[in-house]
Amino acid sequence: MILFLLAAFCLVSVPLTGGKLSRLAHLRLRWLWAAPAALALQVVITTIVPEGHHTLHSAVHLLTYALLAAFLLANVHIPGVRVIAAGAASNVIAIIANGGVMPASRAAERIAGEVQDAGYHNATPLAHPHLMWLGDLIPVPGPLPNVLSIGDCIIFAGMLILLHRTCGRSAAERELALEQ
């Protein structure tokens, strides 16, 4: 849930800095269906049917990153997408190295106040994690507790770049220059 709140913060930052979100309508996104499909599949395996077969859920989790990769590659020409792709790649490397799940720090989960119930989790503490430094180890305590990875932080930095390069005040100045 905190990820949606951070995404909303990224969006709200545009008008607060003089930009216009309406400029997003001018983006020519390719493979647009792939990103929502990836999100929907992640919601299914973690929220709607978390008690399914672990191997199947892990395979679906990796499939969501393949869909996201297709979307990002199709839109690599958009400012910020390369940064988003670098963050997603960081996450998928850790996920592949750990059999389809993101390794999570027990200490970070405890600090954040995150409690995991039974069922599949796309991020979970592991007995012997690989590449833990790429895993979920940044605690976010509060009413929406979560643990973030370095890749997540890079993804949000890329979102800010995309939004402010596309919608920011400097984008408006470039549009005026092109019209003259």
Side-chain angles (χ1 to χ4, degrees), residues 3-145:
L3 299 178
F4 292 112
L5 191 60
L6 288 171
F9 168 77
C10 289
L11 283 170
V12 169
S13 72
V14 171
L16 290 176
T17 58
K20 294 185 179 184
L21 289 172
S22 60
R23 292 189 183 111
L24 286 174
H26 301 291
L27 281 179
R28 300 283 185 246
L29 295 174
R30 298 178 185 129
W31 283 59
L32 183 58
W33 62 270
L39 177 63
L41 285 170
Q42 283 213 9
V43 168
V44 167
I45 64 173
T46 60
T47 306
I48 297 173
V49 191
E51 51 285 320
H53 193 274
H54 181 80
T55 302
L56 175 62
H57 278 54
S58 293
V60 170
H61 188 213
L62 287 169
L63 172 65
T64 66
Y65 276 91
L67 287 169
L68 183 60
F71 172 74
L72 293 171
L73 284 172
N75 294 290
V76 74
H77 62 282
I78 297 171
V81 167
R82 290 176 193 221
V83 176
I84 294 168
S90 170
N91 284 348
V92 80
I93 288 167
I95 291 165
I96 289 170
N98 290 283
V101 296
M102 174 67 87
S105 162
R106 279 181 176 46
E109 285 189 342
R110 189 176 56 255
I111 292 167
E114 193 172 79
V115 177
Q116 290 194 358
D117 50 0
Y120 179 80
H121 296 276
N122 57 2
T124 192
L126 301 172
H128 302 287
H130 303 285
L131 303 175
M132 187 60 214
W133 61 278
L134 292 176
D136 282 355
L137 37 84
I138 303 167
V140 182
L144 302 173

Side-chain angles (χ1 to χ4, degrees), residues 152-175:
D152 295 335
C153 296
I154 294 169
I155 289 168
F156 283 107
M159 284 180 60
L160 285 169
I161 292 168
L162 185 152
L163 288 167
H164 287 274
R165 290 278 311 274
T166 303
C167 303
R169 196 177 296 175
S170 61
E173 292 167 4
R174 284 194 302 271
E175 284 179 19

